[in-house]
Amino acid sequence: MTDKTMPVVELEAKDLPAHCPNPAMPLWSSHPRVFLDFDHEGEAKCPYCGTRYRLAPGVAFKHH
């Protein structure tokens, strides 16, 4: 992911499964909840608001 205009939210294992909007976002910026699909580099981008998410170093996720 190359869009550097949006902040990056770093997620720990306890934050998975990840979704946006995340609990830290203000209510006024809400949109429908969408669960995030991470790429092989451990990054995802919300299709609604563009917020970027990254898995913290050492966090692994399992594919179903």
Side-chain angles (χ1 to χ4, degrees):
M1 307 212 160
T2 58
D3 181 12
K4 303 294 183 199
T5 60
M6 296 300 293
V8 176
V9 177
E10 190 169 85
L11 302 174
E12 299 289 338
K14 66 178 177 54
D15 302 316
L16 300 177
H19 59 83
C20 191
N22 66 61
M25 291 180 155
L27 185 58
W28 63 263
S29 67
S30 290
H31 55 68
R33 179 180 285 190
V34 59
F35 286 89
L36 303 169
D37 288 324
F38 288 88
D39 62 17
H40 292 291
E41 287 80 38
E43 294 188 5
K45 182 177 176 182
C46 175
Y48 286 102
C49 67
T51 300
R52 296 182 315 138
Y53 293 85
R54 179 181 307 131
L55 296 176
V59 174
F61 58 96
K62 299 176 184 175
H63 293 283
H64 297 281

